């Protein structure tokens, strides 16, 4: 790792100020991607602004069906929140299967969402839950937030402070792990709301990052059952192809994981 | 093959074995005959169940130096050992068999401690230090036990002979009446005894040694095997393949091995466990990929290179059928490579049995084992071509 300056921010305003004063600074949350990248000398940043000690940024609040998760809340805290489990167990289950125990105790929801790794789990949840990403400047709908592979709508210096969503009637996440990295080779988050609206969001498979599958959404809105997906074709032309799985295989996984998620929801 | 030695048409002379014993033990352990019912039950759950077997005979304990010389080897494949008994009776063994996880420090020390009846803590195994170990040919080819320990045995024979001469002289007995038991040298049939350390001390004080004997108690030996050793065994693997994803779940894995005599069963089981894990890695997971365009190694970290991990593996069911090897003093055949030899074919046979398609390339990834595509993709085929084709200068004629 190249030398860098470490700053511990005490508030959101303090963090923004610290970063704006840096030559080439970055916000640091759990550091599960950023620190590893710096250790490999694939990134050389002048300054790191640590967000994990800002009190307002941590914690989960549930009011009725309305959920707010602070950006610096760890995966472990999401996975083990009884309040959250009572209204949306699917997101707790998703968090429980991110990485390994070390990662779950360090990594945070805000860091994962801001990084938007194409195989990360949270982007699928946020997109399917129609979540809102709250930043220091504005609120961004998940559908507008994830703009491509590791790309988001965040402006320079903008930081995530929370994620908000309304807990749905039914939801589940089914993940097929990459045999080496154990990231999602394909992960599908399905949501059904009381009004019959259905969302199906796919991570790990899309050539352009997380995406919704309108064909499966329509089929499940008409008939909420795994069998409803039998006749659905997933087009492999927009999917990733790599050494572990080609696009055709991923297309099959999208459908199989969607079926399994619906069965579990 | 039921009678031994068995001369094969291709040089190797199988010296001892009981192949049916391993076959029968493996089939019984795996409940081979109950497979049809298990397959039917799995089918009711929508899973494709398969069973596979592989039987192997290895040529290990490499190797007779003259034989490898005739095959063009540049070295002889003996092994060396030196046994130094210190004046207080503790023993250092210098061995050319390097230990990098095989547990020689334990097994070799057991051999020495058992031989003289002294505490195992009094035995120190020295390896891998060229300042101390004169010569060695190394650890590979399941040779540490069969060849390396045989060299230690030869050195121990010399140490024992000299120690008995000293003890016989000190106790005024005939050398042939001296026995070594529980850390003492005794005159058989009498109550005369000398503790091991006193004999060692006498060798170094040299106050009262047989006429003409050199002081000290330190001996070296080289052992050149007269034949290869031939471990053999039968491996059975049972899997379920998920037809929706192509994922292989290993339900059970049975290994029945004949390693000849075994010094330390736990270490042998550890070797087999590790070998099976490696074999499963080869058959299911591990693959090196290069970028066909520029030769860049893609699987350069464990984020991309799929190593087998504990949750990829079942608990293994092991058993041993021991027919001693007649060509070396300990009757050892060796166990280092067996697990990695027997496991890939057993696993691949189980998967092909499950999916009903023999045309399956290793590693049998979910994509390949899935019903939709068992052939290597065009992309994979490109990856398998020599990377030198990327540059016209290196193009093969």
């Amino acid at each position: 790792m190249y030398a860098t300056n470490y700053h511990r921010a005490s508030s959101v305003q303090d963090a923004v100020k610290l970063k704006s004063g840096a030559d080439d600074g970055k916000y640091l949350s759990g550091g599960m991607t950023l620190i590893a990248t710096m250790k490999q000398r694939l990134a050389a940043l002048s300054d790191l602004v640590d967000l994990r000690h800002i009190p307002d940024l941590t914690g989960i609040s549930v009011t009725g069906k309305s959920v707010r998760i602070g950006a610096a809340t760890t995966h472990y805290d999401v996975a083990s929140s009884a309040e959250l489990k009572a209204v949306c167990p699917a997101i707790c289950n998703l968090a429980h299967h991110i990485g390994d125990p070390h990662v779950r105790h360090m990594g945070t929801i805000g860091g994962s969402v801001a990084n938007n790794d194409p195989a990360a789990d949270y982007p699928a949840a946020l997109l399917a839950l129609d979540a809102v990403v709250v930043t220091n400047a504005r609120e961004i709908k998940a559908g507008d937030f994830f703009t491509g592979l590791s790309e988001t709508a965040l402006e320079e210096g903008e930081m995530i402070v929370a994620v908000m969503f309304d807990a749905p009637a039914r939801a589940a996440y089914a993940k097929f792990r990459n045999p080496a990295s154990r990231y999602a080779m394909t992960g599908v988050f399905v949501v059904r709301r009381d009004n019959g609206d259905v969302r199906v969001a796919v991570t790990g498979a899309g050539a352009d990052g997380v995406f919704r599958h309108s064909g499966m959404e329509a089929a499940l809105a008409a008939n909420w059952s795994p069998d409803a997906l039998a006749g659905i074709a997933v087009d492999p032309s927009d999917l990733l192809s790599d050494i572990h799985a080609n696009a055709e295989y991923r297309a099959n996984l999208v459908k199989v994981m969607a079926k399994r998620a619906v069965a579990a929801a | 093959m039921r009678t031994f030695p068995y001369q094969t048409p291709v040089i190797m002379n199988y010296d001892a074995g009981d192949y049916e014993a391993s076959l029968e033990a493996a089939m019984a352990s795996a409940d081979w005959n109950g497979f049809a019912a298990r397959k039917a039950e799995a089918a009711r759950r929508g899973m494709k169940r398969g069973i596979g077997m592989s039987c192997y005979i290895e040529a290990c304990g490499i190797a007779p130096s003259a034989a490898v010389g005739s095959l063009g080897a540049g070295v002889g494949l003996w092994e060396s050992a030196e046994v130094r008994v210190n004046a207080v009776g503790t023993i250092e063994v210098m061995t050319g068999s390097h230990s990098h996880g095989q547990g020689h420090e334990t097994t070799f020390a057991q051999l020495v401690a058992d031989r003289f009846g002294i505490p195992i803590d009094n035995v120190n195994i020295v390896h891998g230090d060229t300042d101390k170990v004169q010569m060695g040919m190394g650890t590979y080819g399941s040779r540490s036990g069969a060849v390396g320990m045989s060299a230690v045995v030869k050195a121990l024979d010399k140490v024992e002979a000299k120690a008995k001469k000293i003890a016989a002289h000190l106790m005024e007995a005939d050398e042939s009446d001296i026995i070594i038991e529980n850390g003492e040298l005794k005159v058989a049939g009498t109550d005369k005894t000398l503790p091991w350390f006193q004999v060692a001390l006498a060798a170094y004080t040299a106050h009262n040694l047989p006429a003409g004997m050199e002081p000290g108690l330190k001996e070296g030996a080289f052992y050149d095997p007269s034949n290869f050793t031939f471990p053999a065994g039968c491996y059975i693997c049972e899997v379920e393949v998920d037809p929706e994803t192509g994922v292989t779940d290993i339900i059970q894995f049975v290994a029945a091995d004949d390693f000849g005599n075994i010094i330390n069963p736990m270490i042998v089981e550890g070797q087999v466990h590790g070998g099976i894990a490696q074999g499963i890695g080869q058959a299911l997971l591990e693959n090196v990929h290069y970028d066909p365009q520029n030769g860049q190694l893609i699987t350069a970290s464990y984020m991309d290179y799929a190593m087998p991990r504990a949750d990829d593996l079942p608990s293994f069911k092991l058993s041993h059928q021991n027919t001693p090897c007649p060509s070396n003093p300990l009757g050892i055949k060796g166990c280092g490579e067996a697990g990695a030899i027997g496991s890939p074919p057993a696993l691949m046979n189980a998967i092909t049995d499950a999916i009903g398609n023999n045309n399956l390339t290793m590693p049998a990834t979910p994509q390949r084992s899935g019903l939709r595509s068992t052939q290597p993709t065009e992309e994979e085929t490109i990856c398998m071509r020599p990377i030198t084709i990327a540059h016209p200068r290196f193009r093969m004629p």
Side-chain angles (χ1 to χ4, degrees), chain A:
Chain A
M1 188 190 281
Y2 294 105
T4 189
N5 297 306
Y6 171 85
H7 310 273
R8 179 175 287 186
S10 58
S11 66
V12 172
Q13 293 75 15
D14 186 34
V16 172
K17 191 173 154 213
L18 283 165
K19 182 165 180 304
S20 68
D23 281 345
D24 184 13
K26 233 181 177 25
Y27 294 125
L28 172 70
S29 191
M32 294 293 90
T33 300
L34 182 57
I35 297 295
T37 309
M38 290 177 72
K39 280 183 172 175
Q40 291 174 305
R41 297 192 168 187
L42 296 171
L45 300 162
S46 66
D47 297 78
L48 290 177
V49 181
D50 190 347
L51 309 179
R52 291 172 302 166
H53 303 274
I54 301 173
D56 304 344
L57 239 52
T58 308
I60 298 165
S61 65
V62 178
T63 311
K65 292 283 182 189
S66 178
V67 175
R68 185 183 192 279
I69 304 174
T73 307
T74 63
H75 309 323
Y76 173 79
D77 285 338
V78 172
S80 56
S81 164
E83 257 188 314
L84 189 53
K85 199 168 282 179
V87 295
C88 187
I91 199 163
C92 302
N93 185 48
L94 174 148
H96 183 65
H97 290 93
I98 297 173
D100 57 23
H102 309 287
V103 168
R104 291 195 287 275
H105 278 86
M106 290 295 289
T108 65
I109 188 169
S112 172
V113 169
N115 191 46
N116 191 20
D117 187 294
D121 299 302
Y122 272 129
L126 266 58
L127 192 56
L129 289 165
D130 195 17
V132 168
V133 179
V134 184
T135 77
N136 60 318
R138 55 185 169 145
E139 295 188 350
I140 310 170
K141 303 269 280 180
D144 300 324
F145 183 86
F146 302 109
T147 54
L149 297 178
S150 303
E151 298 288 333
T152 69
L154 287 172
E155 301 285 349
E156 179 60 33
E158 190 173 10
M159 62 174 277
I160 301 174
V161 297
V163 166
M164 300 198 306
F165 61 88
D166 286 336
R170 313 278 286 269
Y173 181 60
K175 169 159 72 171
F176 189 96
R177 289 171 176 270
N178 176 306
S181 71
R182 308 288 169 103
Y183 269 84
M185 198 150 90
T186 292
V188 179
F189 201 103
V190 298
V191 166
R192 184 171 189 269
R193 298 206 173 264
D194 281 329
N195 64 5
D197 282 357
V198 170
R199 280 196 173 209
V200 176
V202 181
T203 189
D208 202 26
V210 65
F211 67 94
R212 289 170 62 188
H213 196 281
S214 54
M216 291 200 283
E217 289 181 356
L220 290 169
N223 173 18
W224 178 257
S225 86
D227 296 339
L229 300 173
I232 298 292
V234 177
D235 182 3
S237 60
D238 296 331
L239 300 186
L240 286 170
S241 204
D242 59 29
I243 59 172
H244 298 289
N246 61 23
E248 288 74 21
Y249 181 72
R250 274 192 169 83
N252 176 58
L253 281 185
V254 170
K255 191 164 149 177
V256 173
M257 291 302 112
K259 278 168 62 180
R260 291 182 183 181
V262 171

Side-chain angles (χ1 to χ4, degrees), chain A residues 180 245-246 249 252 259-260, chain B residues 242 244-245 309 311 367 372:
Chain A
N246 61 23
Y249 181 72
N252 176 58
K259 278 168 62 180
R260 291 182 183 181
Chain B
D242 180 342
E244 286 194 321
T245 60
R309 305 180 205 186
D311 66 343
Q367 179 175 313
R372 286 149 45 86

